[in-house]
Amino acid sequence: MRDFLPIIKTFKKKKTAPILLAFQIAVTFMVLVNAIYMISDRNDIIARPVGVDIANTLSVITNLSDEQGDLVNQLEDDLIALKSIYGVVNAAPMTALPLEGWGSYLDVRFDPDEEYVASSGYFGSNEDVIDTLGLRLVAGESFLASDIQTTELNGIHKSAKILITKALAEKISPDDWRAILGKSIYFNKEPHEVIGVIERLQNAWSSWSMVEYTVISSVRETNHSQRYVIRVEPGQMESVIKTIPEVLLTHANKRIETIETLSEIKKRSYQADVANNQLLTSVCIGLTIITLFGILGQAKFTINRRIKQIGTRRALGASKSQVVGYFMLENAIISTIGVVIGILAAIILNNQFVELLSITPVPVNFLLFGAGAIVLLGQLAVAYPVSQAAKVSPAITTKG
Amino acid sequence: MLKMKSLSKAFLTDAIKTQALHPFDLTIEQGEFVSVIGPSGSGKTTFLNIAGLLEEHSDGLYELDGKDVAQFTDKKKSAYRNEKIGFVFQSFNLIPELNLYDNVDMPLRYRKFNSEERHKRIMQALEQVGLAGRKDHYPTQLSGGQQQRIAIARAIAGTPSVILADEPTGNLDSKMAEGIMSLLKDINAAGTSIIMVTHDNEQAAQAKRIVQIKDGHLSEYTQQKAIA
């Protein structure tokens, strides 16, 4: 710290270059910290478990045709056919799919005339839903075949037994989430008995803050456009996908709209987030490079301007390492000033993002880590020009 | 204190060897005032650079305080320059962004003196050159003569054994030059050796010994010869 005070005194006389560099570092820090935090936040969101055996689950959207008679019979036939495929673990009808971006939602009430206590995504299915999706029941029991009701449309309006996610149970019964078992909750004015709690199942909307709140009702729907979920044994996905058309397309009126793995559905669901992350990453890399060149340029300019002064310092007794130390410290001071301003600016900018984009505030340790990284980057950027400065001969002092 | 034996310096550029200093012997004892004279390009500055450990000699022996400087590492040379040698340059070489106090302080900071010791030495040196009252001024607020006084204060603050002065009055008018010479003589009278490179024969004559360098050949003059 021998050079600390002299450097500060030097700044008082030569303000412009250090101020500009500190400002550049502050802006870089402010943008980088917020951008990297947003990337990290999004990555965490994308990495959240869906609650489903996603690697081995696929969905098929097909049709049930009026020309072929009773829709319920057709649904049963489809399920028998799908379950018969070699490599299929189980199959179940579903009214919508996790992260599909399409489906129904509901408002949960304890009394039909009271305010709702939570909103939730809705899936209707049958007694095979837990096994098919690979869900984990953490309390209560699953549906029995005798619990399942059938309707052509709007199963959400039918009073039925339901399973709910643990996140929803904790939301509506915060003191003891298990206490919700056996109780009825209301949606669409109808009572629904909670018979089981599943560990996790994300609903249809990945960007919804209530994506972890899900209700599975014991109501299957026989739509003209019918969704099935199918779980396969590991490694059987490809062959099952190939076989599905063979077993389902048994008559001229049968169509398959899509066959898609849940991995693909998840990927599609987060497509915009991934693209935004790539864009932000590019911005971060670009900004970092620009700042590094800014620091490098400023260091080279400063050193070139002070070649004779460096020689004088060497002549008066500064060792090479002391010259290196002087310029490294000078950069560290400028970087630290920039980072301190940057932290304040980053907090202000982050507050705006929190309000506008509903993201969580940047944690303090993130700011501190970012500050350390920026100062370190600055030190790396000046290392080369400073090493050149140390090579200035003290004999330069006696020249011209 | 300073002993050079068969010392020479040659520069090699593009396979062309230029003999800047031909082999010479020179011994300077503690407390001597030696002037080095010679025309431009004769090798005066090269001699001063070697004497001040600013550059290396090619051949021969150079002992400073009985130690062979050829054995010194760069770090040790830096430490020797800091502790044993005071430099006074023709163009002063003060740091314009630092005030006079901090300029004098600069070499002392490399010496690991505590702040109290540094303050004492800085104020003593500034008082010796008559500029203690202007310690908060910046170099650009001073005349050339005053700036050179500050450079001398910077050189003496570390109580070196020898001061190497490279044309110390070269950028000054005669009145200012007179003041600087008087100051150097006072410092010498207090026991510090001075080796002064100059092209001014009158100033050179004020030294006890005069060394002339011509075309890289070093020879010693008596005072009478030099004045003549």
Side-chain angles (χ1 to χ4, degrees):
Chain A
M1 299 313 272
R2 172 191 55 242
D3 295 320
F4 184 79
L5 277 177
I7 289 170
I8 297 294
K9 286 175 181 175
T10 304
F11 287 163
K12 282 185 188 169
K13 288 291 281 183
K14 294 267 183 191
K15 297 187 191 80
T16 312
I19 285 174
L20 283 176
L21 184 60
F23 181 71
Q24 187 185 0
I25 290 168
V27 170
T28 302
F29 179 84
M30 174 185 75
V31 176
L32 277 187
V33 163
N34 277 287
I36 292 172
Y37 182 64
M38 284 166 82
I39 291 169
S40 160
D41 200 39
R42 271 209 196 94
N43 282 339
D44 288 346
I45 287 170
I46 293 168
R48 288 176 308 193
V50 181
V52 177
D53 178 10
I54 200 162
N56 297 305
T57 307
L58 72 144
S59 81
V60 179
I61 303 177
T62 182
N63 69 324
L64 301 178
S65 168
D66 288 330
E67 285 79 8
Q68 295 298 122
D70 184 45
L71 298 183
V72 177
N73 286 342
Q74 289 180 53
L75 182 140
E76 295 288 358
D77 289 345
D78 283 351
L79 287 172
I80 290 167
L82 290 170
K83 288 177 186 177
S84 71
I85 298 171
Y86 176 78
V88 169
V89 175
N90 213 334
M94 278 196 84
T95 54
L97 298 166
L99 307 183
E100 190 184 19
W102 180 95
S104 302
Y105 75 94
L106 50 91
D107 293 329
V108 177
R109 291 175 168 83
F110 285 115
D111 185 293
D113 298 319
E114 283 181 3
E115 273 292 297
Y116 72 94
V117 290
S119 294
S120 167
Y122 170 88
F123 298 131
S125 189
N126 69 7
E127 69 278 11
D128 289 326
V129 68
I130 286 187
D131 186 43
T132 303
L133 290 176
L135 304 176
R136 189 165 160 257
L137 193 68
V138 290
E141 56 195 24
S142 182
F143 302 136
L144 299 172
S146 56
D147 295 330
I148 307 303
Q149 303 176 62
T150 304
T151 181
E152 194 167 328
L153 283 169
N154 297 323
I156 196 168
H157 292 291
K158 278 184 107 54
S159 177
K161 289 183 176 178
I162 58 171
L163 306 172
I164 65 172
T165 55
K166 189 179 168 194
L168 179 59
E170 286 171 339
K171 172 70 178 173
I172 62 180
S173 181
D175 294 335
D176 178 10
W177 61 268
R178 289 171 198 273
I180 199 69
L181 281 172
K183 289 187 180 165
S184 286
I185 58 173
Y186 287 80
F187 47 87
N188 297 314
K189 302 275 187 186
E190 296 294 335
H192 300 79
E193 186 192 351
V194 180
I195 65 162
V197 177
I198 51 178
E199 186 178 43
R200 179 187 288 265
L201 175 63
Q202 292 187 331
N203 59 44
W205 301 278
S206 62
S207 58
W208 193 21
S209 61
M210 296 171 199
V211 67
E212 305 290 346
Y213 300 164
T214 307
V215 168
I216 306 176
S217 176
S218 55
V219 178
R220 63 181 185 180
E221 293 182 13
T222 50
N223 287 318
H224 289 110
S225 179
Q226 183 65 46
R227 283 171 166 71
Y228 300 112
V229 284
I230 301 155
R231 185 148 72 96
V232 303
E233 287 168 1
Q236 297 298 321
M237 183 68 81
E238 206 172 321
S239 69
V240 169
I241 287 172
K242 273 186 191 163
T243 313
I244 287 171
E246 293 170 21
V247 300
L248 283 187
L249 300 177
T250 52
H251 53 81
N253 296 317
K254 192 72 171 174
R255 297 186 313 275
I256 293 175
E257 289 178 32
T258 59
I259 301 175
E260 202 171 19
T261 66
L262 255 63
S263 299
E264 289 169 328
I265 291 172
K266 181 179 178 181
K267 194 174 172 186
R268 183 156 39 81
S269 175
Y270 289 111
Q271 209 167 18
D273 294 287
V274 170
N276 282 338
N277 272 5
Q278 286 169 343
L279 182 68
L280 279 176
T281 303
S282 305
V283 170
C284 288
I285 291 170
L287 193 59
T288 304
I289 290 171
I290 289 168
T291 302
L292 286 181
F293 274 110
I295 294 170
L296 183 79
Q298 198 267 354
K300 282 192 88 166
F301 170 75
T302 305
I303 287 165
N304 286 339
R305 193 168 52 82
R306 292 191 283 186
I307 288 289
K308 190 137 190 177
Q309 190 187 116
I310 294 164
T312 303
R313 286 177 185 276
R314 291 278 286 126
L316 297 182
S319 64
K320 285 180 179 175
S321 61
Q322 284 169 333
V323 169
V324 169
Y326 180 91
F327 284 103
M328 296 297 264
L329 180 63
E330 185 180 75
N331 174 267
I333 293 169
I334 294 172
S335 297
T336 304
I337 292 168
V339 160
V340 169
I341 298 167
I343 285 175
L344 296 174
I347 291 169
I348 292 168
L349 184 68
N350 183 243
N351 283 340
Q352 298 297 311
F353 284 160
V354 169
E355 280 182 26
L356 295 172
L357 306 175
S358 301
I359 63 170
T360 50
V362 177
V364 173
N365 60 353
F366 210 87
L367 290 171
L368 295 178
F369 178 78
I374 288 278
V375 173
L376 188 65
L377 275 178
Q379 295 285 283
L380 286 175
V382 296
Y384 176 72
V386 164
S387 69
Q388 297 302 302
K391 290 179 184 167
V392 171
S393 167
I396 199 170
T397 47
T398 55
K399 288 191 172 69
Chain B
M1 185 203 73
L2 185 153
K3 185 178 171 188
M4 294 168 167
K5 194 164 177 60
S6 301
L7 190 134
S8 67
K9 175 71 179 180
F11 294 104
L12 200 64
T13 49
D14 297 331
I16 298 168
K17 189 178 178 185
T18 308
Q19 195 71 34
L21 288 173
H22 293 276
F24 67 91
D25 295 344
L26 180 71
T27 301
I28 297 172
E29 299 297 340
Q30 185 64 47
E32 283 196 279
F33 192 147
V34 180
S35 289
V36 180
I37 59 168
S40 293
S42 60
K44 300 191 300 292
T45 300
T46 303
F47 167 78
L48 195 81
N49 284 348
I50 292 169
L53 308 181
L54 300 179
E55 63 183 274
E56 292 172 1
H57 57 279
S58 306
D59 279 309
L61 175 74
Y62 174 23
E63 284 182 356
L64 195 60
D65 284 345
K67 287 177 181 142
D68 180 3
V69 301
Q71 307 304 317
F72 287 4
T73 60
D74 187 77
K75 193 173 179 180
K76 191 163 185 185
K77 279 184 193 168
S78 297
Y80 251 69
R81 284 197 297 269
N82 185 259
E83 291 173 27
K84 306 278 185 187
I85 304 168
F87 287 96
V88 179
F89 304 105
Q90 182 176 359
S91 48
F92 326 131
N93 290 14
L94 299 174
I95 311 291
E97 295 90 2
L98 297 177
N99 65 24
L100 308 186
Y101 184 97
D102 292 324
N103 263 287
V104 178
D105 187 24
M106 190 178 66
L108 302 180
R109 283 182 174 267
Y110 297 124
R111 191 96 163 253
K112 292 178 182 167
F113 287 134
N114 61 37
S115 57
E116 201 179 323
E117 175 70 14
R118 291 202 328 265
H119 177 73
K120 198 177 93 185
R121 284 170 175 265
I122 294 164
M123 291 314 295
Q124 272 177 359
L126 286 172
E127 276 161 19
Q128 199 170 342
V129 301
L131 288 168
R134 303 189 69 175
K135 66 182 172 63
D136 295 325
H137 285 67
Y138 285 87
T140 49
Q141 295 173 298
L142 303 183
S143 68
Q146 288 171 323
Q147 288 190 52
Q148 194 59 298
R149 283 174 177 273
I150 294 302
I152 291 170
R154 183 177 65 184
I156 61 175
T159 52
S161 309
V162 59
I163 286 178
L164 300 182
D166 181 24
E167 305 269 13
T169 60
N171 285 350
L172 306 177
D173 61 35
S174 57
K175 196 179 172 191
M176 284 180 179
E178 206 174 293
I180 293 299
M181 284 307 298
S182 168
L183 189 54
L184 288 175
K185 281 193 280 187
D186 288 347
I187 292 165
N188 177 244
T192 307
S193 306
I194 292 180
I195 301 173
M196 179 181 73
V197 166
T198 181
H199 60 272
D200 186 320
N201 284 351
E202 267 187 47
Q203 283 175 11
Q206 296 179 49
K208 290 167 191 157
R209 284 174 71 191
I210 299 169
V211 170
Q212 187 184 44
I213 302 177
K214 194 173 181 185
D215 297 332
H217 292 280
L218 188 139
S219 56
E220 192 152 347
Y221 269 49
T222 62
Q223 253 196 29
Q224 289 72 17
K225 272 186 186 172
I227 292 164

